[in-house]
Amino acid sequence: MPNPYLLLINGPNLNRLGVRKPDTYGTRTLQDVVDLVRETAQGYGVEVLDKQSNHEGELIDFLQQHGPEALGIIINPGAFGHYAYALRDCLEDIDRPTIEVHISNVHKREAFRHQLVLADVVQGQVVGLGTDGYRYAAIALCQLNP
Ligand code: DQA
């Protein structure tokens, strides 16, 4: 049997972490975030498969391929979180424990960021706690699924 694994999904523009608006999104790069989640999950004997894409369909293809067998899913959908119904439907279909992460507190920002269309198909959300939010999500998923 393959080792248990989490999916770590990052949506559009998150490849620019560390460079893009560091006051808002911090100074960790995407690779730093992947390493952080991998180290955290490793402590529970859990592996991490990661995917970043600027294209909704690519994220859906990856989720359909690897999601059904995953222990859980950490997803920062970026701006897709505000309007991407196909991504929402994909997560509903896969039906694995999912935690949505937003680095910034989207509720304190522009009105268009207040709507989160994945909200009703995820187990929970970590919002506004910086890139540490990814680590908290990993711990939660590993502990929910011992
Ligand atoms: C974000 C918040 C989104 O509104 C924004 O489009 C992003 C990043 C966050 O992590 O705070 O790209 O998901």
Side-chain angles (χ1 to χ4, degrees):
M1 224 171 68
N3 289 338
Y5 63 87
L6 294 179
L7 297 189
L8 171 60
I9 306 290
N10 280 286
N13 298 307
L14 292 162
N15 54 311
R16 301 273 301 154
L17 272 183
V19 179
R20 171 191 177 215
K21 288 170 88 73
D23 289 351
T24 304
Y25 299 121
T27 54
R28 281 190 181 120
T29 64
L30 181 60
Q31 188 58 54
D32 292 338
V33 166
V34 172
D35 291 345
L36 182 70
V37 171
R38 195 158 273 143
E39 279 161 26
T40 304
Q42 224 166 41
Y44 295 87
V46 171
E47 293 180 6
V48 175
L49 282 186
D50 80 284
K51 172 80 178 173
Q52 187 279 328
S53 178
N54 296 326
H55 306 278
E56 185 179 3
E58 275 188 18
L59 295 180
I60 291 172
D61 288 344
F62 187 84
L63 282 161
Q64 288 180 351
Q65 188 177 354
H66 300 289
E69 303 299 322
L71 194 65
I73 300 165
I74 301 168
I75 182 165
N76 183 344
F80 286 158
H82 309 307
Y83 65 91
Y85 296 114
L87 184 61
R88 180 224 169 268
D89 285 353
C90 171
L91 289 170
E92 180 182 43
D93 174 38
I94 288 172
D95 197 24
R96 300 302 300 145
T98 298
I99 298 186
E100 178 177 4
V101 173
H102 291 282
I103 298 165
S104 62
N105 183 348
V106 288
H107 302 293
K108 276 187 169 174
R109 300 180 64 195
E110 301 95 319
F112 76 86
R113 296 187 203 274
H114 299 175
Q115 166 157 286
L116 295 175
V117 303
L118 309 185
D120 70 319
V121 296
V122 297
Q123 185 135 6
Q125 297 167 319
V126 182
V127 172
L129 299 184
T131 48
D132 281 338
Y134 289 94
R135 188 157 56 87
Y136 305 142
I139 293 169
L141 285 171
C142 291
Q143 291 189 347
L144 280 170
N145 302 277

PDB file of all heavy atoms in Angstrom, residues 60-86:
ATOM      1  N   ILE A  60      -7.848  21.055 -11.519  1.00  0.00           N
ATOM      2  CA  ILE A  60      -8.923  20.052 -11.506  1.00  0.00           C
ATOM      3  C   ILE A  60      -8.381  18.701 -11.988  1.00  0.00           C
ATOM      4  O   ILE A  60      -8.666  17.658 -11.373  1.00  0.00           O
ATOM      5  CB  ILE A  60     -10.118  20.542 -12.352  1.00  0.00           C
ATOM      6  CG1 ILE A  60     -10.780  21.733 -11.648  1.00  0.00           C
ATOM      7  CG2 ILE A  60     -11.121  19.417 -12.586  1.00  0.00           C
ATOM      8  CD1 ILE A  60     -11.861  22.433 -12.464  1.00  0.00           C
ATOM      9  N   ASP A  61      -7.583  18.703 -13.061  1.00  0.00           N
ATOM     10  CA  ASP A  61      -7.000  17.442 -13.554  1.00  0.00           C
ATOM     11  C   ASP A  61      -6.173  16.771 -12.453  1.00  0.00           C
ATOM     12  O   ASP A  61      -6.267  15.559 -12.236  1.00  0.00           O
ATOM     13  CB  ASP A  61      -6.088  17.699 -14.765  1.00  0.00           C
ATOM     14  CG  ASP A  61      -6.865  18.050 -16.023  1.00  0.00           C
ATOM     15  OD1 ASP A  61      -8.086  17.810 -16.066  1.00  0.00           O
ATOM     16  OD2 ASP A  61      -6.239  18.581 -16.964  1.00  0.00           O
ATOM     17  N   PHE A  62      -5.358  17.559 -11.758  1.00  0.00           N
ATOM     18  CA  PHE A  62      -4.498  17.024 -10.697  1.00  0.00           C
ATOM     19  C   PHE A  62      -5.353  16.476  -9.546  1.00  0.00           C
ATOM     20  O   PHE A  62      -5.096  15.380  -9.024  1.00  0.00           O
ATOM     21  CB  PHE A  62      -3.550  18.125 -10.210  1.00  0.00           C
ATOM     22  CG  PHE A  62      -2.509  17.657  -9.235  1.00  0.00           C
ATOM     23  CD1 PHE A  62      -1.321  17.086  -9.680  1.00  0.00           C
ATOM     24  CD2 PHE A  62      -2.694  17.803  -7.864  1.00  0.00           C
ATOM     25  CE1 PHE A  62      -0.346  16.659  -8.775  1.00  0.00           C
ATOM     26  CE2 PHE A  62      -1.730  17.380  -6.958  1.00  0.00           C
ATOM     27  CZ  PHE A  62      -0.560  16.809  -7.422  1.00  0.00           C
ATOM     28  N   LEU A  63      -6.377  17.239  -9.170  1.00  0.00           N
ATOM     29  CA  LEU A  63      -7.249  16.800  -8.068  1.00  0.00           C
ATOM     30  C   LEU A  63      -8.000  15.519  -8.429  1.00  0.00           C
ATOM     31  O   LEU A  63      -8.133  14.617  -7.603  1.00  0.00           O
ATOM     32  CB  LEU A  63      -8.244  17.917  -7.715  1.00  0.00           C
ATOM     33  CG  LEU A  63      -7.669  19.045  -6.868  1.00  0.00           C
ATOM     34  CD1 LEU A  63      -8.549  20.295  -6.953  1.00  0.00           C
ATOM     35  CD2 LEU A  63      -7.518  18.607  -5.409  1.00  0.00           C
ATOM     36  N   GLN A  64      -8.460  15.443  -9.663  1.00  0.00           N
ATOM     37  CA  GLN A  64      -9.185  14.232 -10.071  1.00  0.00           C
ATOM     38  C   GLN A  64      -8.261  13.019 -10.085  1.00  0.00           C
ATOM     39  O   GLN A  64      -8.664  11.905  -9.769  1.00  0.00           O
ATOM     40  CB  GLN A  64      -9.810  14.424 -11.458  1.00  0.00           C
ATOM     41  CG  GLN A  64     -10.999  15.357 -11.441  1.00  0.00           C
ATOM     42  CD  GLN A  64     -11.625  15.549 -12.811  1.00  0.00           C
ATOM     43  OE1 GLN A  64     -11.072  15.106 -13.819  1.00  0.00           O
ATOM     44  NE2 GLN A  64     -12.754  16.216 -12.862  1.00  0.00           N
ATOM     45  N   GLN A  65      -7.002  13.249 -10.448  1.00  0.00           N
ATOM     46  CA  GLN A  65      -6.054  12.134 -10.531  1.00  0.00           C
ATOM     47  C   GLN A  65      -5.605  11.662  -9.143  1.00  0.00           C
ATOM     48  O   GLN A  65      -5.540  10.469  -8.884  1.00  0.00           O
ATOM     49  CB  GLN A  65      -4.839  12.562 -11.365  1.00  0.00           C
ATOM     50  CG  GLN A  65      -3.906  11.405 -11.651  1.00  0.00           C
ATOM     51  CD  GLN A  65      -2.742  11.811 -12.536  1.00  0.00           C
ATOM     52  OE1 GLN A  65      -2.682  12.945 -13.031  1.00  0.00           O
ATOM     53  NE2 GLN A  65      -1.811  10.897 -12.732  1.00  0.00           N
ATOM     54  N   HIS A  66      -5.275  12.612  -8.277  1.00  0.00           N
ATOM     55  CA  HIS A  66      -4.634  12.237  -7.007  1.00  0.00           C
ATOM     56  C   HIS A  66      -5.532  12.421  -5.776  1.00  0.00           C
ATOM     57  O   HIS A  66      -5.201  11.916  -4.702  1.00  0.00           O
ATOM     58  CB  HIS A  66      -3.358  13.066  -6.812  1.00  0.00           C
ATOM     59  CG  HIS A  66      -2.355  12.883  -7.889  1.00  0.00           C
ATOM     60  ND1 HIS A  66      -1.629  11.723  -8.041  1.00  0.00           N
ATOM     61  CD2 HIS A  66      -1.972  13.709  -8.900  1.00  0.00           C
ATOM     62  CE1 HIS A  66      -0.824  11.838  -9.087  1.00  0.00           C
ATOM     63  NE2 HIS A  66      -1.017  13.031  -9.630  1.00  0.00           N
ATOM     64  N   GLY A  67      -6.635  13.172  -5.919  1.00  0.00           N
ATOM     65  CA  GLY A  67      -7.476  13.502  -4.769  1.00  0.00           C
ATOM     66  C   GLY A  67      -8.173  12.317  -4.120  1.00  0.00           C
ATOM     67  O   GLY A  67      -8.168  12.198  -2.887  1.00  0.00           O
ATOM     68  N   PRO A  68      -8.777  11.426  -4.920  1.00  0.00           N
ATOM     69  CA  PRO A  68      -9.605  10.384  -4.294  1.00  0.00           C
ATOM     70  C   PRO A  68      -8.856   9.498  -3.299  1.00  0.00           C
ATOM     71  O   PRO A  68      -9.458   8.979  -2.364  1.00  0.00           O
ATOM     72  CB  PRO A  68     -10.105   9.571  -5.506  1.00  0.00           C
ATOM     73  CG  PRO A  68     -10.141  10.572  -6.619  1.00  0.00           C
ATOM     74  CD  PRO A  68      -8.936  11.452  -6.381  1.00  0.00           C
ATOM     75  N   GLU A  69      -7.551   9.327  -3.473  1.00  0.00           N
ATOM     76  CA  GLU A  69      -6.772   8.471  -2.563  1.00  0.00           C
ATOM     77  C   GLU A  69      -6.062   9.272  -1.473  1.00  0.00           C
ATOM     78  O   GLU A  69      -5.347   8.692  -0.646  1.00  0.00           O
ATOM     79  CB  GLU A  69      -5.706   7.686  -3.357  1.00  0.00           C
ATOM     80  CG  GLU A  69      -6.259   6.835  -4.491  1.00  0.00           C
ATOM     81  CD  GLU A  69      -7.224   5.771  -3.988  1.00  0.00           C
ATOM     82  OE1 GLU A  69      -6.973   5.212  -2.909  1.00  0.00           O
ATOM     83  OE2 GLU A  69      -8.239   5.538  -4.674  1.00  0.00           O
ATOM     84  N   ALA A  70      -6.204  10.582  -1.505  1.00  0.00           N
ATOM     85  CA  ALA A  70      -5.449  11.419  -0.555  1.00  0.00           C
ATOM     86  C   ALA A  70      -6.075  11.361   0.832  1.00  0.00           C
ATOM     87  O   ALA A  70      -7.294  11.244   0.982  1.00  0.00           O
ATOM     88  CB  ALA A  70      -5.400  12.863  -1.049  1.00  0.00           C
ATOM     89  N   LEU A  71      -5.209  11.494   1.818  1.00  0.00           N
ATOM     90  CA  LEU A  71      -5.661  11.594   3.210  1.00  0.00           C
ATOM     91  C   LEU A  71      -6.451  12.886   3.396  1.00  0.00           C
ATOM     92  O   LEU A  71      -7.431  12.947   4.137  1.00  0.00           O
ATOM     93  CB  LEU A  71      -4.405  11.639   4.087  1.00  0.00           C
ATOM     94  CG  LEU A  71      -4.511  11.429   5.563  1.00  0.00           C
ATOM     95  CD1 LEU A  71      -4.993  10.013   5.844  1.00  0.00           C
ATOM     96  CD2 LEU A  71      -3.134  11.652   6.193  1.00  0.00           C
ATOM     97  N   GLY A  72      -6.006  13.910   2.736  1.00  0.00           N
ATOM     98  CA  GLY A  72      -6.672  15.206   2.830  1.00  0.00           C
ATOM     99  C   GLY A  72      -6.043  16.170   1.840  1.00  0.00           C
ATOM    100  O   GLY A  72      -5.037  15.843   1.197  1.00  0.00           O
ATOM    101  N   ILE A  73      -6.653  17.323   1.737  1.00  0.00           N
ATOM    102  CA  ILE A  73      -6.222  18.313   0.745  1.00  0.00           C
ATOM    103  C   ILE A  73      -6.088  19.671   1.423  1.00  0.00           C
ATOM    104  O   ILE A  73      -7.011  20.114   2.122  1.00  0.00           O
ATOM    105  CB  ILE A  73      -7.259  18.410  -0.402  1.00  0.00           C
ATOM    106  CG1 ILE A  73      -7.427  17.047  -1.102  1.00  0.00           C
ATOM    107  CG2 ILE A  73      -6.871  19.507  -1.400  1.00  0.00           C
ATOM    108  CD1 ILE A  73      -8.660  16.952  -1.999  1.00  0.00           C
ATOM    109  N   ILE A  74      -4.930  20.296   1.214  1.00  0.00           N
ATOM    110  CA  ILE A  74      -4.729  21.692   1.609  1.00  0.00           C
ATOM    111  C   ILE A  74      -4.789  22.495   0.321  1.00  0.00           C
ATOM    112  O   ILE A  74      -4.058  22.190  -0.624  1.00  0.00           O
ATOM    113  CB  ILE A  74      -3.349  21.903   2.265  1.00  0.00           C
ATOM    114  CG1 ILE A  74      -3.200  21.030   3.511  1.00  0.00           C
ATOM    115  CG2 ILE A  74      -3.131  23.370   2.605  1.00  0.00           C
ATOM    116  CD1 ILE A  74      -1.751  20.970   4.030  1.00  0.00           C
ATOM    117  N   ILE A  75      -5.652  23.493   0.271  1.00  0.00           N
ATOM    118  CA  ILE A  75      -5.742  24.279  -0.955  1.00  0.00           C
ATOM    119  C   ILE A  75      -5.776  25.769  -0.661  1.00  0.00           C
ATOM    120  O   ILE A  75      -6.590  26.230   0.134  1.00  0.00           O
ATOM    121  CB  ILE A  75      -6.971  23.868  -1.815  1.00  0.00           C
ATOM    122  CG1 ILE A  75      -7.000  24.669  -3.117  1.00  0.00           C
ATOM    123  CG2 ILE A  75      -8.285  23.968  -1.056  1.00  0.00           C
ATOM    124  CD1 ILE A  75      -7.945  24.100  -4.173  1.00  0.00           C
ATOM    125  N   ASN A  76      -4.825  26.489  -1.253  1.00  0.00           N
ATOM    126  CA  ASN A  76      -4.952  27.936  -1.351  1.00  0.00           C
ATOM    127  C   ASN A  76      -5.333  28.208  -2.801  1.00  0.00           C
ATOM    128  O   ASN A  76      -4.486  28.141  -3.692  1.00  0.00           O
ATOM    129  CB  ASN A  76      -3.653  28.657  -0.990  1.00  0.00           C
ATOM    130  CG  ASN A  76      -3.851  30.176  -1.022  1.00  0.00           C
ATOM    131  OD1 ASN A  76      -4.834  30.679  -1.582  1.00  0.00           O
ATOM    132  ND2 ASN A  76      -2.912  30.910  -0.437  1.00  0.00           N
ATOM    133  N   PRO A  77      -6.607  28.489  -3.030  1.00  0.00           N
ATOM    134  CA  PRO A  77      -7.056  28.647  -4.416  1.00  0.00           C
ATOM    135  C   PRO A  77      -6.705  30.004  -5.002  1.00  0.00           C
ATOM    136  O   PRO A  77      -7.016  30.255  -6.172  1.00  0.00           O
ATOM    137  CB  PRO A  77      -8.578  28.484  -4.287  1.00  0.00           C
ATOM    138  CG  PRO A  77      -8.885  28.978  -2.901  1.00  0.00           C
ATOM    139  CD  PRO A  77      -7.696  28.609  -2.054  1.00  0.00           C
ATOM    140  N   GLY A  78      -6.052  30.886  -4.211  1.00  0.00           N
ATOM    141  CA  GLY A  78      -5.808  32.241  -4.707  1.00  0.00           C
ATOM    142  C   GLY A  78      -7.139  32.881  -5.082  1.00  0.00           C
ATOM    143  O   GLY A  78      -8.178  32.605  -4.463  1.00  0.00           O
ATOM    144  N   ALA A  79      -7.120  33.682  -6.122  1.00  0.00           N
ATOM    145  CA  ALA A  79      -8.351  34.380  -6.520  1.00  0.00           C
ATOM    146  C   ALA A  79      -9.436  33.417  -7.001  1.00  0.00           C
ATOM    147  O   ALA A  79     -10.620  33.759  -6.977  1.00  0.00           O
ATOM    148  CB  ALA A  79      -8.036  35.412  -7.600  1.00  0.00           C
ATOM    149  N   PHE A  80      -9.074  32.190  -7.407  1.00  0.00           N
ATOM    150  CA  PHE A  80     -10.102  31.210  -7.793  1.00  0.00           C
ATOM    151  C   PHE A  80     -11.096  30.997  -6.643  1.00  0.00           C
ATOM    152  O   PHE A  80     -12.250  30.642  -6.872  1.00  0.00           O
ATOM    153  CB  PHE A  80      -9.482  29.847  -8.142  1.00  0.00           C
ATOM    154  CG  PHE A  80      -8.777  29.797  -9.467  1.00  0.00           C
ATOM    155  CD1 PHE A  80      -7.803  28.832  -9.708  1.00  0.00           C
ATOM    156  CD2 PHE A  80      -9.084  30.678 -10.488  1.00  0.00           C
ATOM    157  CE1 PHE A  80      -7.147  28.748 -10.928  1.00  0.00           C
ATOM    158  CE2 PHE A  80      -8.437  30.619 -11.720  1.00  0.00           C
ATOM    159  CZ  PHE A  80      -7.469  29.646 -11.939  1.00  0.00           C
ATOM    160  N   GLY A  81     -10.614  31.169  -5.425  1.00  0.00           N
ATOM    161  CA  GLY A  81     -11.484  30.961  -4.264  1.00  0.00           C
ATOM    162  C   GLY A  81     -12.699  31.864  -4.254  1.00  0.00           C
ATOM    163  O   GLY A  81     -13.691  31.581  -3.587  1.00  0.00           O
ATOM    164  N   HIS A  82     -12.638  32.961  -5.033  1.00  0.00           N
ATOM    165  CA  HIS A  82     -13.738  33.924  -5.013  1.00  0.00           C
ATOM    166  C   HIS A  82     -14.786  33.660  -6.089  1.00  0.00           C
ATOM    167  O   HIS A  82     -15.866  34.234  -6.042  1.00  0.00           O
ATOM    168  CB  HIS A  82     -13.184  35.347  -5.167  1.00  0.00           C
ATOM    169  CG  HIS A  82     -12.067  35.647  -4.207  1.00  0.00           C
ATOM    170  ND1 HIS A  82     -12.186  35.457  -2.849  1.00  0.00           N
ATOM    171  CD2 HIS A  82     -10.788  36.086  -4.410  1.00  0.00           C
ATOM    172  CE1 HIS A  82     -11.040  35.775  -2.259  1.00  0.00           C
ATOM    173  NE2 HIS A  82     -10.175  36.153  -3.181  1.00  0.00           N
ATOM    174  N   TYR A  83     -14.448  32.815  -7.082  1.00  0.00           N
ATOM    175  CA  TYR A  83     -15.424  32.667  -8.180  1.00  0.00           C
ATOM    176  C   TYR A  83     -15.363  31.345  -8.949  1.00  0.00           C
ATOM    177  O   TYR A  83     -16.170  31.126  -9.851  1.00  0.00           O
ATOM    178  CB  TYR A  83     -15.265  33.815  -9.189  1.00  0.00           C
ATOM    179  CG  TYR A  83     -13.928  33.799  -9.903  1.00  0.00           C
ATOM    180  CD1 TYR A  83     -13.785  33.106 -11.106  1.00  0.00           C
ATOM    181  CD2 TYR A  83     -12.818  34.437  -9.385  1.00  0.00           C
ATOM    182  CE1 TYR A  83     -12.566  33.067 -11.762  1.00  0.00           C
ATOM    183  CE2 TYR A  83     -11.592  34.402 -10.037  1.00  0.00           C
ATOM    184  CZ  TYR A  83     -11.471  33.717 -11.214  1.00  0.00           C
ATOM    185  OH  TYR A  83     -10.269  33.667 -11.859  1.00  0.00           O
ATOM    186  N   ALA A  84     -14.450  30.429  -8.603  1.00  0.00           N
ATOM    187  CA  ALA A  84     -14.220  29.266  -9.486  1.00  0.00           C
ATOM    188  C   ALA A  84     -15.148  28.105  -9.126  1.00  0.00           C
ATOM    189  O   ALA A  84     -14.810  27.224  -8.328  1.00  0.00           O
ATOM    190  CB  ALA A  84     -12.757  28.843  -9.422  1.00  0.00           C
ATOM    191  N   TYR A  85     -16.317  28.094  -9.747  1.00  0.00           N
ATOM    192  CA  TYR A  85     -17.313  27.080  -9.407  1.00  0.00           C
ATOM    193  C   TYR A  85     -16.913  25.689  -9.888  1.00  0.00           C
ATOM    194  O   TYR A  85     -17.301  24.685  -9.287  1.00  0.00           O
ATOM    195  CB  TYR A  85     -18.680  27.463  -9.991  1.00  0.00           C
ATOM    196  CG  TYR A  85     -19.219  28.741  -9.392  1.00  0.00           C
ATOM    197  CD1 TYR A  85     -19.374  29.881 -10.177  1.00  0.00           C
ATOM    198  CD2 TYR A  85     -19.545  28.822  -8.042  1.00  0.00           C
ATOM    199  CE1 TYR A  85     -19.852  31.063  -9.627  1.00  0.00           C
ATOM    200  CE2 TYR A  85     -20.016  30.001  -7.479  1.00  0.00           C
ATOM    201  CZ  TYR A  85     -20.166  31.114  -8.286  1.00  0.00           C
ATOM    202  OH  TYR A  85     -20.629  32.278  -7.731  1.00  0.00           O
ATOM    203  N   ALA A  86     -16.145  25.599 -10.973  1.00  0.00           N
ATOM    204  CA  ALA A  86     -15.724  24.272 -11.443  1.00  0.00           C
ATOM    205  C   ALA A  86     -14.780  23.626 -10.431  1.00  0.00           C
ATOM    206  O   ALA A  86     -14.856  22.422 -10.155  1.00  0.00           O
ATOM    207  CB  ALA A  86     -15.069  24.374 -12.821  1.00  0.00           C
TER     208      ALA A  86
END
